[in-house]
Amino acid sequence: MKETTKTKQSFIESHRRKQILDIAIDMISKNGYQQTTMANIAREAEFSKGVIFYYFKNKEELVSAISLTLLEELREHTIRCMKKHSAEQGQLFAYIEAYFDFIRKNRKKFSILMEVGFNHNTMNQCSVFGAKEYAECRRRLDKLIKMDGISNKGNQPLSAVIQGMLDGIGIQWIADKSSVDLDACQKTVIEMIERHIS
């Protein structure tokens, strides 16, 4: 009986936490990071502020949870997409295509990830979306580059350039969707890398 009650509470708590995260993500996408407050989230969720603070002790903790949730979603998306590609295409190019695919299909989430990451880290000097995450991106890209036999040397500059292009193009597309052709940019990135490695 105790186990069933505990499991039920855990399910309810997990569901409520996800509900708060989803509402916060939606509100940040509509109003921006600065204008979204814990009180606004509580009002939108129709919870007391106490309930919100039970799950997240402050806005920084909530924002950290949002960043980690969206980064994990991006990771899972790229892994799923890469598994569908043929071996001859190369893992690096499959990763690039998967990243563009995530941006294309999740404009709101990518926008929030960039805004929250920038605002949160700048204001609070937090590393949730900073050095640690970018180091992981570069390590992943280094591994893909080596898997594809592109080079046996340290590839950190190439990895940093590739990740910078992907994020930079995504940010430009968010800022002005009508003037940035994601398909053309994806093709150009791949062509630039092919020229660099040939």
Side-chain angles (χ1 to χ4, degrees), residues 7-26:
T7 303
K8 187 175 180 181
Q9 285 175 340
S10 294
F11 174 78
I12 290 168
E13 287 180 349
S14 175
H15 177 74
R16 189 168 284 168
R17 186 177 190 279
K18 184 183 180 320
Q19 185 181 3
I20 293 166
L21 283 172
D22 289 343
I23 288 168
I25 288 168
D26 189 56

mmCIF file of all heavy atoms in Angstrom, residues 7-26:
data_model
loop_
_atom_site.group_PDB
_atom_site.id
_atom_site.type_symbol
_atom_site.label_atom_id
_atom_site.label_comp_id
_atom_site.label_asym_id
_atom_site.label_seq_id
_atom_site.Cartn_x
_atom_site.Cartn_y
_atom_site.Cartn_z
ATOM 1 N N THR A 7 4.407 5.789 -5.207
ATOM 2 C CA THR A 7 4.496 5.835 -6.659
ATOM 3 C C THR A 7 3.518 6.846 -7.221
ATOM 4 O O THR A 7 3.858 7.614 -8.117
ATOM 5 C CB THR A 7 4.212 4.437 -7.259
ATOM 6 O OG1 THR A 7 5.126 3.513 -6.690
ATOM 7 C CG2 THR A 7 4.358 4.440 -8.769
ATOM 8 N N LYS A 8 2.307 6.868 -6.676
ATOM 9 C CA LYS A 8 1.282 7.805 -7.136
ATOM 10 C C LYS A 8 1.729 9.243 -6.879
ATOM 11 O O LYS A 8 1.597 10.100 -7.748
ATOM 12 C CB LYS A 8 -0.047 7.518 -6.433
ATOM 13 C CG LYS A 8 -1.202 8.317 -6.974
ATOM 14 C CD LYS A 8 -2.502 7.898 -6.315
ATOM 15 C CE LYS A 8 -3.659 8.712 -6.860
ATOM 16 N NZ LYS A 8 -4.921 8.347 -6.218
ATOM 17 N N GLN A 9 2.285 9.495 -5.687
ATOM 18 C CA GLN A 9 2.770 10.837 -5.375
ATOM 19 C C GLN A 9 3.912 11.234 -6.308
ATOM 20 O O GLN A 9 3.964 12.355 -6.787
ATOM 21 C CB GLN A 9 3.237 10.910 -3.912
ATOM 22 C CG GLN A 9 2.089 10.942 -2.925
ATOM 23 C CD GLN A 9 2.576 10.890 -1.488
ATOM 24 O OE1 GLN A 9 3.696 10.469 -1.219
ATOM 25 N NE2 GLN A 9 1.725 11.291 -0.564
ATOM 26 N N SER A 10 4.819 10.285 -6.561
ATOM 27 C CA SER A 10 5.940 10.577 -7.452
ATOM 28 C C SER A 10 5.446 10.911 -8.848
ATOM 29 O O SER A 10 5.955 11.829 -9.495
ATOM 30 C CB SER A 10 6.895 9.386 -7.528
ATOM 31 O OG SER A 10 7.493 9.180 -6.279
ATOM 32 N N PHE A 11 4.442 10.178 -9.324
ATOM 33 C CA PHE A 11 3.876 10.441 -10.642
ATOM 34 C C PHE A 11 3.235 11.825 -10.672
ATOM 35 O O PHE A 11 3.450 12.600 -11.611
ATOM 36 C CB PHE A 11 2.842 9.367 -11.020
ATOM 37 C CG PHE A 11 2.129 9.676 -12.306
ATOM 38 C CD1 PHE A 11 2.753 9.449 -13.523
ATOM 39 C CD2 PHE A 11 0.852 10.226 -12.302
ATOM 40 C CE1 PHE A 11 2.116 9.758 -14.719
ATOM 41 C CE2 PHE A 11 0.208 10.536 -13.490
ATOM 42 C CZ PHE A 11 0.842 10.290 -14.706
ATOM 43 N N ILE A 12 2.460 12.148 -9.653
ATOM 44 C CA ILE A 12 1.795 13.450 -9.577
ATOM 45 C C ILE A 12 2.834 14.564 -9.500
ATOM 46 O O ILE A 12 2.732 15.579 -10.204
ATOM 47 C CB ILE A 12 0.822 13.503 -8.381
ATOM 48 C CG1 ILE A 12 -0.382 12.582 -8.645
ATOM 49 C CG2 ILE A 12 0.342 14.930 -8.118
ATOM 50 C CD1 ILE A 12 -1.260 12.323 -7.442
ATOM 51 N N GLU A 13 3.854 14.383 -8.672
ATOM 52 C CA GLU A 13 4.905 15.395 -8.543
ATOM 53 C C GLU A 13 5.659 15.579 -9.855
ATOM 54 O O GLU A 13 5.958 16.700 -10.267
ATOM 55 C CB GLU A 13 5.866 15.035 -7.414
ATOM 56 C CG GLU A 13 5.253 15.247 -6.041
ATOM 57 C CD GLU A 13 6.202 14.901 -4.911
ATOM 58 O OE1 GLU A 13 7.269 14.302 -5.175
ATOM 59 O OE2 GLU A 13 5.869 15.231 -3.762
ATOM 60 N N SER A 14 5.973 14.476 -10.507
ATOM 61 C CA SER A 14 6.688 14.529 -11.781
ATOM 62 C C SER A 14 5.834 15.245 -12.838
ATOM 63 O O SER A 14 6.331 16.085 -13.588
ATOM 64 C CB SER A 14 7.021 13.110 -12.234
ATOM 65 O OG SER A 14 7.596 13.120 -13.498
ATOM 66 N N HIS A 15 4.549 14.916 -12.866
ATOM 67 C CA HIS A 15 3.632 15.543 -13.816
ATOM 68 C C HIS A 15 3.502 17.044 -13.534
ATOM 69 O O HIS A 15 3.528 17.856 -14.459
ATOM 70 C CB HIS A 15 2.266 14.860 -13.742
ATOM 71 C CG HIS A 15 1.241 15.482 -14.632
ATOM 72 N ND1 HIS A 15 1.244 15.313 -15.993
ATOM 73 C CD2 HIS A 15 0.193 16.303 -14.350
ATOM 74 C CE1 HIS A 15 0.241 15.994 -16.522
ATOM 75 N NE2 HIS A 15 -0.411 16.601 -15.548
ATOM 76 N N ARG A 16 3.370 17.395 -12.276
ATOM 77 C CA ARG A 16 3.218 18.810 -11.908
ATOM 78 C C ARG A 16 4.485 19.603 -12.234
ATOM 79 O O ARG A 16 4.416 20.717 -12.730
ATOM 80 C CB ARG A 16 2.884 18.927 -10.419
ATOM 81 C CG ARG A 16 2.510 20.349 -10.030
ATOM 82 C CD ARG A 16 1.905 20.398 -8.669
ATOM 83 N NE ARG A 16 0.543 19.925 -8.717
ATOM 84 C CZ ARG A 16 -0.191 19.630 -7.638
ATOM 85 N NH1 ARG A 16 0.331 19.763 -6.441
ATOM 86 N NH2 ARG A 16 -1.429 19.225 -7.759
ATOM 87 N N ARG A 17 5.646 19.005 -11.981
ATOM 88 C CA ARG A 17 6.921 19.670 -12.292
ATOM 89 C C ARG A 17 7.040 19.921 -13.792
ATOM 90 O O ARG A 17 7.406 21.002 -14.238
ATOM 91 C CB ARG A 17 8.085 18.801 -11.802
ATOM 92 C CG ARG A 17 9.445 19.449 -11.939
ATOM 93 C CD ARG A 17 10.534 18.538 -11.352
ATOM 94 N NE ARG A 17 11.793 19.224 -11.265
ATOM 95 C CZ ARG A 17 12.632 19.388 -12.296
ATOM 96 N NH1 ARG A 17 12.330 18.901 -13.483
ATOM 97 N NH2 ARG A 17 13.766 20.047 -12.132
ATOM 98 N N LYS A 18 6.674 18.901 -14.595
ATOM 99 C CA LYS A 18 6.697 19.046 -16.051
ATOM 100 C C LYS A 18 5.706 20.118 -16.493
ATOM 101 O O LYS A 18 5.994 20.916 -17.390
ATOM 102 C CB LYS A 18 6.389 17.715 -16.725
ATOM 103 C CG LYS A 18 6.503 17.792 -18.245
ATOM 104 C CD LYS A 18 6.133 16.481 -18.904
ATOM 105 C CE LYS A 18 6.228 16.521 -20.409
ATOM 106 N NZ LYS A 18 5.769 17.707 -21.078
ATOM 107 N N GLN A 19 4.538 20.155 -15.868
ATOM 108 C CA GLN A 19 3.525 21.151 -16.199
ATOM 109 C C GLN A 19 4.065 22.570 -15.955
ATOM 110 O O GLN A 19 3.893 23.460 -16.792
ATOM 111 C CB GLN A 19 2.276 20.903 -15.354
ATOM 112 C CG GLN A 19 1.110 21.793 -15.673
ATOM 113 C CD GLN A 19 -0.091 21.504 -14.779
ATOM 114 O OE1 GLN A 19 -0.037 20.665 -13.873
ATOM 115 N NE2 GLN A 19 -1.181 22.206 -15.025
ATOM 116 N N ILE A 20 4.747 22.763 -14.838
ATOM 117 C CA ILE A 20 5.337 24.072 -14.522
ATOM 118 C C ILE A 20 6.397 24.436 -15.553
ATOM 119 O O ILE A 20 6.445 25.566 -16.050
ATOM 120 C CB ILE A 20 5.914 24.083 -13.088
ATOM 121 C CG1 ILE A 20 4.787 23.966 -12.058
ATOM 122 C CG2 ILE A 20 6.745 25.349 -12.839
ATOM 123 C CD1 ILE A 20 5.254 23.640 -10.652
ATOM 124 N N LEU A 21 7.251 23.476 -15.908
ATOM 125 C CA LEU A 21 8.287 23.719 -16.923
ATOM 126 C C LEU A 21 7.662 24.096 -18.268
ATOM 127 O O LEU A 21 8.101 25.048 -18.922
ATOM 128 C CB LEU A 21 9.182 22.490 -17.095
ATOM 129 C CG LEU A 21 10.226 22.249 -16.016
ATOM 130 C CD1 LEU A 21 10.892 20.892 -16.222
ATOM 131 C CD2 LEU A 21 11.262 23.349 -15.995
ATOM 132 N N ASP A 22 6.626 23.357 -18.678
ATOM 133 C CA ASP A 22 5.968 23.631 -19.957
ATOM 134 C C ASP A 22 5.352 25.028 -19.973
ATOM 135 O O ASP A 22 5.459 25.752 -20.973
ATOM 136 C CB ASP A 22 4.891 22.584 -20.261
ATOM 137 C CG ASP A 22 5.468 21.219 -20.605
ATOM 138 O OD1 ASP A 22 6.678 21.144 -20.927
ATOM 139 O OD2 ASP A 22 4.720 20.226 -20.545
ATOM 140 N N ILE A 23 4.715 25.413 -18.880
ATOM 141 C CA ILE A 23 4.098 26.740 -18.787
ATOM 142 C C ILE A 23 5.180 27.818 -18.814
ATOM 143 O O ILE A 23 5.044 28.834 -19.507
ATOM 144 C CB ILE A 23 3.211 26.845 -17.532
ATOM 145 C CG1 ILE A 23 1.944 26.008 -17.737
ATOM 146 C CG2 ILE A 23 2.860 28.298 -17.206
ATOM 147 C CD1 ILE A 23 1.109 25.790 -16.488
ATOM 148 N N ALA A 24 6.267 27.591 -18.092
ATOM 149 C CA ALA A 24 7.366 28.565 -18.068
ATOM 150 C C ALA A 24 7.971 28.725 -19.456
ATOM 151 O O ALA A 24 8.239 29.844 -19.905
ATOM 152 C CB ALA A 24 8.426 28.135 -17.063
ATOM 153 N N ILE A 25 8.176 27.620 -20.167
ATOM 154 C CA ILE A 25 8.711 27.667 -21.529
ATOM 155 C C ILE A 25 7.774 28.464 -22.428
ATOM 156 O O ILE A 25 8.212 29.333 -23.197
ATOM 157 C CB ILE A 25 8.939 26.237 -22.076
ATOM 158 C CG1 ILE A 25 10.149 25.600 -21.386
ATOM 159 C CG2 ILE A 25 9.113 26.235 -23.596
ATOM 160 C CD1 ILE A 25 10.308 24.109 -21.635
ATOM 161 N N ASP A 26 6.491 28.199 -22.333
ATOM 162 C CA ASP A 26 5.504 28.910 -23.147
ATOM 163 C C ASP A 26 5.495 30.408 -22.831
ATOM 164 O O ASP A 26 5.465 31.244 -23.735
ATOM 165 C CB ASP A 26 4.117 28.303 -22.927
ATOM 166 C CG ASP A 26 3.098 28.856 -23.898
ATOM 167 O OD1 ASP A 26 3.330 28.765 -25.118
ATOM 168 O OD2 ASP A 26 2.072 29.393 -23.439
#
